[in-house]
Amino acid sequence: MTTFHDTAPTGAARPGFLARAQLWWGPRIGTQIIVITAVVALFYVFGANTVATMDRIGINPGFDFLGRAANFEIGETMIPFQAGDTYVRAMLAGLLNTLKVAFLGCILTTILGVSVGIAGLSGNMLLAALVRWYIEIVRNTPTLLQLFFWVSLAKAFAPPRQSQPLFDAVFLTNRGIFIPGVTLAGGSTLTLILIAALVAGFFAFVVLARRRGGLTFSRVLAAVAALIAGIAVSARLTGVEAGLDVPVLSGFNIRGGMTLSPEFAALLIGLTVKYSAAIAEIVRAGVESVGQGQWEAARALGLHRGQIMRLVVVPQALRVITPLITSSYLDLTKDSSLAVAIGYPDLVAVINTTANTTGQAFEALVILIGVFLVINLSVSALMNIYNERVALRGNLAR
C-alpha cells in the first residue's frame, strides 16, 4: 500500500541579508565602508572649514544674494536686463547666451562636419588631401588659440562706413556682422493656438509612424515641409505680416537686419570649425566601418553611389557615429565657457562677475557646476534616446 504525504514544494532558498549585502557591495564590505566614511568625513571637514572661513571674513553662506540687485551691465542679452535687476535674472541672461551658442554650434558643427567627412571620402585626391590638412590643422591647434584668431579677425574688419556689402545684404564690420532678419507684425492668441496644434500634430505623426515602422527619411522631410506650410498659412489667415529686414548703410552706421557681435561670431565660428574636424573624422570612421560587401551588394542591385550612401551605408554607420557625436556635442557645450576669454557674456562670465561683486564665490561655483551638469546630462539623455532608436531600427536613415 502506497502512502502519500502532503508536502509543499520547498523551492530554492533565498539568500540572507549578509549574502545580498555582499552581492551589492562586493567581497570586501568593511574596506568599502571605511573608504566611504573617510570620504564623507573629508567633505565634512572641508565644508566646516569653508563655513568658518566665510564667517570670519564676514560673508554669510547661502543663496540669499540671488534676490539682490546686480550692479553691472551685460553687453549682449536675449532678454531685457539692466543694472539693478536681480542676480538671478543676470544668471538667466548668461545661461541663455550659453545655450544659444551651444545650440547653434551643435547644428552648424554637424552640417559642416558631415560635409567635410563625406568630402574626404570622395575619389578626388586633391579634395581628400585638402580635407586631411584641414582636419589635422584644426584638431592639433588649441581651442583657445583658435578663438583668439577668430576674434582678432572679426575686430580687423573695416568700420561700417568703409565696409562693402556681400550680395547687397551682409556687412562684415568691426562692430559685428549684419545679416538680413525677419520682421513679424500682428497676430493673436489664435495664431499661437494654431501653431501649437500643428507642432503637436507633427510630433504625433512622427511617434505613430515610428511605432508602426514606417518612419522614413522622405516622410520626415514631407512632414516638416507640411508643418512649415501650415504655419505660414495659419499666420497669414490670422493677420500676421512677415517681412524681410535687410541691413543698409545709414550715415556712419548700419541700420536694420540682425547683428551678430564680434565676440559671439568669433565664438560660434571657432567652436564650429574646431568640432567640425572631430565630427568629420567620426563620419569617416563610421562610413569606413561598413564592409565592402554592402557596397558590392548595393551596386549589384543597380544603385548609384548617392543611393548606396543614403540607403545602405549611412543607416549602418549611424550606429557607430551617434555615440561619438554625442561626446563632441558635450565637449562643445563645455568649451563654450571659453567665451570669458574673448569677452562674450556667457554664464561663466556672468557668474564670475557675480562672485567678484558679492563675495559668494563658493555658492556661485556650485551654481555653475550644477547648471553645466544639467545641460550636459540633458544632451546626453536625448542623444542616448536617439541612439537606442538608431541601434534598434535605423528607420530614420532610410
Side-chain angles (χ1 to χ4, degrees):
M1 182 176 179
T2 305
T3 304
F4 296 94
H5 299 279
D6 295 332
T7 57
T10 56
R14 297 184 61 184
F17 174 77
L18 292 178
R20 290 198 300 270
Q22 187 175 9
L23 181 64
W24 177 261
W25 285 86
R28 299 181 178 178
I29 301 177
T31 303
Q32 296 186 52
I33 292 177
I34 293 174
V35 171
I36 292 175
T37 303
V39 172
V40 171
L42 180 64
F43 273 98
Y44 175 78
V45 172
F46 173 76
N49 289 338
T50 301
V51 172
T53 302
M54 295 175 67
D55 184 64
R56 186 172 61 254
I57 61 179
I59 298 177
N60 295 322
F63 297 91
D64 296 338
F65 70 96
L66 294 176
R68 299 203 299 263
N71 58 356
F72 56 85
E73 296 281 354
I74 300 178
E76 183 177 352
T77 61
M78 296 179 62
I79 59 174
F81 178 83
Q82 59 183 1
D85 291 341
T86 61
Y87 284 104
V88 171
R89 190 171 183 84
M91 292 182 183
L92 177 61
L95 174 61
L96 292 177
N97 285 344
T98 296
L99 293 177
K100 178 174 68 172
V101 170
F103 178 74
L104 294 177
C106 289
I107 294 177
L108 297 178
T109 297
T110 303
I111 296 173
L112 181 59
V114 171
S115 302
V116 172
I118 297 299
L121 294 170
S122 66
N124 190 318
M125 295 183 62
L126 176 60
L127 181 59
L130 291 176
V131 168
R132 175 50 52 189
W133 275 101
Y134 168 82
I135 292 174
E136 293 300 328
I137 292 174
V138 171
R139 291 187 66 189
N140 292 287
T141 308
T143 306
L144 188 59
L145 180 61
Q146 294 185 34
L147 293 181
F148 286 149
F149 168 78
W150 289 111
V151 77
S152 299
L153 181 63
K155 295 294 183 65
F157 287 137
R161 184 67 178 173
Q162 301 175 5
S163 64
Q164 297 297 324
L166 302 176
F167 309 107
D168 295 327
V170 178
F171 290 84
L172 303 178
T173 73
N174 57 4
R175 296 184 185 177
I177 300 175
F178 296 83
I179 59 177
V182 177
T183 59
L184 299 175
S188 61
T189 306
L190 179 60
T191 307
L192 299 178
I193 295 175
L194 291 176
I195 293 176
L198 290 171
V199 173
F202 170 78
F203 283 107
F205 166 78
V206 171
V207 172
L208 290 177
R210 177 182 295 169
R211 289 179 178 177
R212 296 176 181 176
L215 187 60
T216 61
F217 184 74
S218 58
R219 289 185 180 180
V220 172
L221 288 181
V224 171
L227 175 63
I228 296 174
I231 292 176
V233 172
S234 301
R236 185 67 177 176
L237 293 177
T238 54
V240 177
E241 297 182 357
L244 185 64
D245 188 14
V246 180
V248 295
L249 181 62
S250 176
F252 293 96
N253 206 347
I254 297 174
R255 308 293 181 186
M258 295 177 57
T259 306
L260 306 179
S261 68
E263 295 80 13
F264 172 75
L267 180 63
L268 182 60
I269 293 174
L271 293 178
T272 299
V273 170
K274 174 68 176 181
Y275 287 99
S276 66
I279 290 182
E281 281 290 88
I282 293 171
V283 170
R284 179 192 61 78
V287 171
E288 290 183 347
S289 68
V290 180
Q292 287 297 320
Q294 300 291 322
W295 289 84
E296 295 172 0
R299 291 192 190 98
L301 294 175
L303 301 179
H304 58 72
R305 183 178 177 83
Q307 291 176 322
I308 296 174
M309 184 69 71
R310 181 171 60 88
L311 301 176
V312 179
V313 176
V314 171
Q316 300 179 64
L318 280 176
R319 295 168 173 85
V320 177
I321 291 173
T322 303
L324 299 176
I325 284 185
T326 301
S327 179
S328 295
Y329 288 165
L330 298 179
D331 290 339
L332 186 149
T333 303
K334 289 182 289 187
D335 278 354
S336 66
S337 60
L338 295 175
V340 67
I342 61 175
Y344 179 70
D346 71 328
L347 179 64
V348 176
V350 172
I351 286 187
N352 184 41
T353 305
T354 300
N356 291 332
T357 55
T358 62
Q360 311 286 151
F362 180 77
E363 292 86 345
L365 183 61
V366 169
I367 293 174
L368 183 61
I369 293 174
V371 170
F372 269 100
L373 276 176
V374 170
I375 294 174
N376 283 295
L377 291 177
S378 300
V379 173
S380 180
L382 292 175
M383 292 301 296
N384 286 339
I385 293 173
Y386 175 73
N387 185 42
E388 291 178 0
R389 299 293 182 181
V390 171
L392 291 176
R393 300 181 183 87
N395 288 333
L396 282 173
R398 288 188 295 180

